Amino acid sequence: MGAASYRVETPEEIEAGRRRAARERYHLAAVRHAALVTESAAYRASYGRAISAVRRAGEPSPHASADDLEAAAARLDAEREQARAVLDGQLTEAFRMSLFAMATRPAPRVARRAPTASSSARQSQETRLRQERESAARVQRLAERAAVLLARLPAAAPAQLREACRADAAEIASASEQRARLVLASLEDRVRAAERTQRAVDAAAEQAAVLVARLRDVPGAQAVQLARRLTEVIEERQEEVPRALAAEVEQAVADADAARTRRIAAQALARVLVDLDYHVAEGFETALVDQGTAVVGLPGEPGYGLKVLFDRGSSRLAHIVVRDVEADGGEHADRRAQQAFCDGLGALRNGLGRHHVQLKETQREEPGRRPVPRVAAGTVPRRDQEQAREHGGEREA
């Protein structure tokens, strides 16, 4: 009995791997570009035509190659960087105008008292006036800080939050210094919380986009449902991709990869076994892929066969020499059959390599170490039986 792992390295699989990586890169670029589109639209709602609209990106062909997807992702990144620079410049100007408008507001009026004859009273009044002017200047600076905070508020922040922040900034401009400081602290907390939320939303959207890209190679209704749930994460601005959902996606991708490589390995194994004169009955590949096990007849050893078992959850396989329960055998014959398979294992490995399937042994038992298991009659395909059926069919015809 022995065990091995296999790795499929066909040109098609290599290209599929490159295309998957390129698709993930493109989806990541696309979701970042879409976030900029949303941001510019939100700023246009506030500042009007002073902010240019950012156009949505077109989708590449579903059959695009890895090189095409890489090129599309690079173009999208370049367009986003250019649009980001334009938007930042326009926002800087819009915020400057906002600050200018705030700075030109009439300063709070300072009450002037009638002059008194007392010198000490006049000095006291002048001190109070100076302090009031200095306080008004500090309030003005607090108002400017509030305007900067408003500029940091994420464009996708809810309208209710944005209006509350604007109300805070407006109050600061005309409030007493103490009140202005309290409101500014509250405004800063709100903006920082909104920034944290936006960072979480962006990270979740990017993770979801990559997972959607990975699902493109997974067939079936489950993949469609998983992709729909991931799209909801992006559209609903969720702050994280549920761990269970991410795990489901990774498992679905791993299962699809294993199933695909298992089919390729089974096809290659069938061809090589035929070339090595094993008797491979019709349906061998189907049984190996669907049921995980199949038996072929050992060349030169009537009644003896090789049972192959594929692990569904990984790229592992096991192989063991078996004997038909009705076949003549014995300890010596069993050891000879096991030795015959071991002697031909190198040729089997080389043959699979020519089909781009790399086989690596992980376990091997020496011939004769354990008895050959018996299997039900007819389990081991026999060449003489098939020839008899063919001759019988010819006679009947």
Side-chain angles (χ1 to χ4, degrees), residues 1-2 278 298 306 319 321 335-349 361 363-368:
M1 182 174 181
Y278 283 77
L298 204 63
L306 179 69
H319 41 72
V321 174
R335 185 183 296 108
R336 186 182 65 238
Q338 291 173 330
Q339 186 66 56
F341 167 70
C342 289
D343 291 344
L345 191 54
L348 176 62
R349 186 187 306 108
E361 280 189 90
Q363 177 189 349
R364 184 200 286 198
E365 289 186 356
E366 294 300 320

Side-chain angles (χ1 to χ4, degrees), residues 248-297:
E248 283 186 67
V249 172
E250 297 294 356
Q251 189 61 54
V253 172
D255 290 345
D257 288 348
R260 187 178 62 256
T261 57
R262 190 164 59 243
R263 286 193 298 272
I264 297 172
Q267 293 167 358
L269 184 59
R271 296 189 186 101
V272 173
L273 289 173
V274 169
D275 292 342
L276 296 177
D277 209 29
Y278 283 77
H279 182 51
V280 181
E282 184 178 355
F284 168 80
E285 297 172 29
T286 301
L288 197 54
V289 171
D290 295 344
Q291 301 171 22
T293 181
V295 179
V296 295

Side-chain angles (χ1 to χ4, degrees), residues 12 18 30 38 59 69 77 86 94 124 140 154 175 236 247 283 301 320:
E12 294 78 12
R18 289 185 63 239
T38 301
E59 285 285 333
L69 289 168
D77 281 341
V86 171
S124 176
Q140 185 64 41
E236 296 175 3
E301 302 291 340
I320 182 172

Side-chain angles (χ1 to χ4, degrees), residues 4 45 160 326 364:
Q160 184 177 4
E326 295 182 349
R364 184 200 286 198

